[in-house]
Amino acid sequence: MNDLVESEDELLDPQPAPQAAPRTKAAGVLRRWRAQLPFGADSDPRQRRRAVLACGMALALAAGAGAAGVAVHRADLHRDQSRVQSRILLHLLGGGASMTFLSVDGSGHTVVPDRFDIPLATDFAISVRNDGAQPLDIRAVRIKEPGVDVESYETSATVKPGEAVSVVARVSVHCTAADLPQYPSGVTVTVRTAGSKTKPAGKPTDVALAFDHGSHDSVLPDASDQGSAYLVNSFATNSFYHLCANAVALMPPQVTATVLPSGASPRNPVVRYALHIEGTPGIADIVAPAAPSSRVPGVSVETDLDGTKPVGNSGLDVTVTDRITDCAAFGDYLTSRGGAAVAADTLHSAVPLSLEPADPRFRSATVNRPIGRDEGLFATSGGTVLGALLAELTAACPQL
């Protein structure tokens, strides 16, 4: 008789029934991964609830962040568009400024200073164009240059988009300033976006405009332009040196004439006189030999000046000798110009001298500067100088 005996291992460590082996390795990996998820069939219900709640919160946060990003992007686009709309684009036309010195006032009276060291009142003009999207108010113009006093220009002019305007400031130029630059470097314009019924004007903004010094030609008004008729004896330029040079060219130097006895006769047809040149107050002058402003038929002219000389504090004396080589030719020339009344001025126009500033910065004058004005140089002391000159001329050429 056989007895049934149970093993102690089976009683002490019971094992579950073995499951059917998975058909493939991939299926086994997928089954193990799904068993570890909180949503698995064998997971804890509380763990599943927490997982669902966490996923919901994550989705809500993602949706909120997306909505906020869209709002921020729209705000950025609106802000960028507003910046473009309110951007100030002010462009300088012509590359620089034009400085105009008016030597006569509205009544035709001369306003040229008597001294070169007196500041020159000058119109300082620039042209600007509004290339922005909104109208601009030009509020002020400021120039900062050594040797230049600026009156801040204030205006309420409004420039529409695409339009240009000329802005003029009044300045005083000290020509004798040692640090005066040749050209202005730039200008600062204070502008703001113009206001409307729906929005206020923008804040004032300073716009610095640098000048282009690619070309520096001095500019003169066209004499054929009737619109420039009021600029007679005036000029426009973009150079401080040209401005001062042309101004000093309009200032009459102090010159007096004295007739010297020369024993004039048909055999010695010579007229001689002395010029005492004191120059222009406020600037050092030099006198140099030069081609005369006109040539007179039948007359040769020479001086005792043997080279360039400074005028000096006490002035400079120069002797002029007019030799009448052909009395008939000289007489015909005087007849064509007005007769004996212009004889003295005609002789003086043939003097081969030039009066220039000693400072080379101001030798670029575009206006001729004769030594002594023709009008009044010999008509002094009740006409005695002019009478003495005509007497010498008559003695040299009796047929005149």
Side-chain angles (χ1 to χ4, degrees), residues 38-339:
F39 304 105
D42 298 333
S43 61
D44 187 356
R46 290 177 298 178
Q47 186 178 2
R48 286 201 300 271
R49 285 195 297 271
R50 287 195 296 268
V52 171
L53 182 60
C55 290
M57 294 178 64
L59 291 175
L61 289 175
V70 171
V72 170
H73 180 64
R74 290 179 178 176
D76 290 341
L77 291 178
H78 180 72
R79 182 169 56 254
D80 292 341
Q81 186 177 6
S82 299
R83 288 177 179 176
V84 171
Q85 291 289 336
S86 61
R87 184 181 300 170
I88 295 176
L89 296 176
L90 197 66
H91 289 163
L92 180 70
L93 301 179
S98 174
M99 293 172 286
T100 303
F101 171 73
L102 302 180
S103 63
V104 293
D105 59 16
S107 302
H109 298 95
T110 301
V111 292
V112 179
D114 295 330
R115 300 181 57 87
F116 188 69
D117 50 6
I118 295 178
L120 297 178
T122 306
D123 287 340
F124 190 98
I126 61 171
S127 295
V128 293
R129 184 181 63 227
N130 179 14
D131 290 333
Q134 292 189 2
L136 294 179
D137 290 336
I138 299 181
R139 310 297 298 174
V141 175
R142 295 189 303 279
I143 305 101
K144 186 177 181 181
E145 302 290 351
V148 180
D149 297 332
V150 183
E151 299 176 8
S152 180
Y153 172 75
E154 295 183 358
T155 179
S156 58
T158 300
V159 189
K160 296 180 180 179
E163 291 186 350
V165 65
S166 178
V167 183
V168 182
R170 194 71 169 178
V171 302
S172 296
V173 179
H174 296 258
C175 293
T176 55
D179 55 352
L180 179 70
Q182 184 173 4
Y183 301 101
S185 59
V187 65
T188 300
V189 183
T190 302
V191 298
R192 70 178 184 182
T193 55
S196 63
K197 295 181 179 179
T198 59
K199 86 177 166 178
K203 295 182 179 180
T205 302
D206 289 340
V207 179
L209 301 175
F211 293 159
D212 178 14
H213 295 156
S215 61
H216 303 300
D217 295 333
S218 183
V219 180
L220 289 175
D222 185 359
S224 62
D225 185 4
Q226 296 182 357
S228 300
Y230 75 98
L231 290 175
V232 174
N233 291 332
S234 301
F235 45 84
T237 178
N238 63 352
S239 165
F240 288 121
Y241 293 174
H242 287 171
L243 177 77
C244 296
N246 282 276
V248 74
L250 297 177
M251 299 178 186
Q254 298 181 359
V255 181
T256 56
T258 304
V259 177
L260 304 175
S262 58
S265 68
R267 292 186 178 183
N268 183 34
V270 173
V271 175
R272 185 177 292 111
Y273 58 93
L275 295 175
H276 180 71
I277 306 170
E278 295 186 4
T280 304
I283 185 174
D285 283 324
I286 58 174
V287 177
S293 58
S294 64
R295 297 190 178 275
V296 180
V299 178
S300 64
V301 186
E302 61 182 17
T303 70
D304 63 348
L305 188 69
D306 56 1
T308 302
K309 291 185 178 180
V311 172
N313 295 331
S314 59
L316 180 67
D317 292 321
V318 179
T319 299
V320 181
T321 300
D322 295 322
R323 182 172 296 276
I324 314 301
T325 59
D326 189 337
C327 289
F330 181 48
D332 292 341
Y333 184 75
L334 290 180
T335 301
S336 66
R337 295 178 60 87

